[in-house]
Amino acid sequence: MNIVCLDMEGVLVPEIWIAFSEASGIPELRRTTRDEPDYDKLMQWRLGILKERGLGLKEIQATIATIDPLPGAREFLDKLRSEAQVLILSDTFEQFAKPLMEKLNWPTIFCNTLEVGEDGEITGYKMRCEKSKLTTVKALQSIGYDTIAAGDSFNDLGMIQASKAGFLFKSTDAIKAAHPELPAFEEFGDLLSAIEGALD
């Protein structure tokens, strides 16, 4: 029994923090898990910038409302979901993901949650579990699933490497160079073919 685990940002939708960086005019917020492997360090740094600028959940959600999935993402996901169970594993937050899931025809997503004050200030965040993507893949394997995984960032490598088949998608040159053993794709059609091959 197979289950396909996909990252969300950079794979199915644009990076939310990059979009918000552009909308808010704060270039420092362009940093993502492609640049910083330590997610806790990255998030603490982001929350510090938001607090300093007086920005909260409302402003970020306003940007998210303008984001559409990457071209071809919904079609790719619809086709894949007709052939296999698909689970999106993301380090994003429920408060960010919901409008994007609607645009992707409501796939199942496991992600984290933000702690938000009454005034809308993001005061912290709660991770679903430690190393959530790798932990989830291992849990799925423990109940009889073979996992196939794809992602673009440092925090996807664990689930990709632990799966029976794993792929980089729209990743950085640095990550691809560091992991030449992982097949890397740029187009949804090529990724779909690779996953379909692994489903056999």
Side-chain angles (χ1 to χ4, degrees), residues 168-180:
L168 292 172
F169 187 65
K170 298 185 183 291
S171 191
T172 65
D173 290 341
I175 292 174
K176 287 187 281 193
H179 295 278

Side-chain angles (χ1 to χ4, degrees), residues 19-90:
F20 185 62
S21 164
E22 289 167 1
S24 63
I26 305 171
E28 302 96 297
L29 287 174
R30 287 186 66 83
R31 268 179 91 69
T32 69
T33 49
R34 289 173 167 215
D35 313 298
E36 174 53 71
D38 186 329
Y39 189 74
D40 187 59
K41 182 176 170 187
L42 179 63
M43 274 305 299
Q44 295 296 346
W45 184 74
R46 286 169 169 166
L47 294 185
I49 292 173
L50 294 178
K51 188 172 179 64
E52 197 177 283
R53 303 291 185 107
L55 297 168
L57 181 59
K58 184 179 68 177
E59 289 81 8
I60 299 174
Q61 286 179 326
T63 295
I64 292 169
T66 70
I67 296 174
D68 286 320
L70 294 171
R74 177 161 170 165
E75 294 77 9
F76 158 79
L77 206 49
D78 285 347
K79 179 79 167 70
L80 186 57
R81 289 168 70 195
S82 75
E83 298 175 21
Q85 294 294 312
V86 179
L87 186 56
I88 296 174
L89 301 181
S90 176

